[in-house]
Amino acid sequence: MTKRNDKREILIATAAGLFWRQGYATTSLADIATDSGVPLGNIYYYFKSKAELALGVADIFVAETEGMLAEITDADQNPRTRLKLLIEKLAHSLKSRVAHGCPIALGIRDFRHESPEAAGRAAETFSLLIGFIGRELGRSGIRPSSALGIARNAVAEWQGGIMLAHGLNDPAVLVESFRRMERLLVAGPPRS
């Protein structure tokens, strides 16, 4: 049983990397087999289709986000400190986001046609981030409706920064987005 789960996880991780760097449509199961070291015929033992593999990748996005948010929640009780920690964690991936874009956003876009379930599951990642930011802003004294709008703006700032930095191949663009996010979330708007 352990070997089956290990190979399954290797296939998902390999697919995630290839989908991100090459694109979902251009990545074949043969590419995944070659990069993972799992024979092509064995992939079907774990996944009936590439769309099913996409769902496994989307599950990784959600699990990693949940893990990151739990780690932040455990690290500090202050909502503004938690938001600062979130920005710091998102900034750790600056170099790879400039090089390849956001794997979550690309997954949502690329999975939508062949695997709508995987696209929806990947989108849950953004909902988790918006919910976390909104709750922490609410804990800092901001009205829930305002907190939700600010949370959406922060995620849009991050995603827009990634897209523009990737398009221009300029990390400074994303650094600027993180600074704006910090002003928005950590320094914070006036309490209402």
Side-chain angles (χ1 to χ4, degrees), residues 11 15 18-19 24 26-36 38-41 43-44 47-51 53:
L11 288 167
L18 289 172
F19 292 166
Y24 176 76
T26 59
T27 300
S28 68
L29 290 177
D31 294 332
I32 296 166
T34 299
D35 278 26
S36 69
V38 175
L40 180 58
I43 290 178
Y44 293 102
F47 300 98
K48 291 180 171 70
S49 65
K50 191 165 114 176
L53 194 50

Side-chain angles (χ1 to χ4, degrees), residues 43-169:
I43 290 178
Y44 293 102
Y45 179 74
Y46 303 99
F47 300 98
K48 291 180 171 70
S49 65
K50 191 165 114 176
E52 193 176 295
L53 194 50
L55 184 57
V57 170
D59 286 339
I60 288 176
F61 298 154
V62 171
E64 287 180 353
T65 302
E66 288 172 335
M68 176 184 66
L69 296 178
E71 186 180 314
I72 291 168
T73 299
D74 291 345
D76 200 285
Q77 293 301 309
N78 182 293
R80 297 291 182 172
T81 303
R82 286 179 175 176
L83 293 169
K84 184 173 174 64
L85 289 170
L86 174 64
I87 294 166
E88 288 171 3
K89 288 196 175 287
L90 295 176
H92 282 289
S93 61
L94 185 139
K95 186 176 178 181
S96 63
R97 297 310 186 256
V98 172
H100 304 290
C102 177
I104 301 161
L106 293 170
I108 293 167
R109 182 199 67 198
D110 292 350
F111 299 161
R112 188 156 278 144
H113 179 69
E114 279 189 46
S115 184
E117 185 181 2
R121 180 72 169 144
E124 288 177 33
T125 302
F126 293 140
S127 295
L128 287 168
L129 290 168
I130 291 166
F132 175 82
I133 294 168
R135 280 188 304 279
E136 294 306 317
L137 289 171
R139 289 182 60 234
S140 72
I142 297 174
R143 282 189 318 235
S145 60
S146 296
L148 180 61
I150 294 166
R152 287 179 179 149
N153 286 341
V155 172
E157 174 70 46
W158 172 55
Q159 283 297 297
I162 291 172
M163 183 178 288
L164 191 57
H166 174 63
L168 298 174
N169 194 29

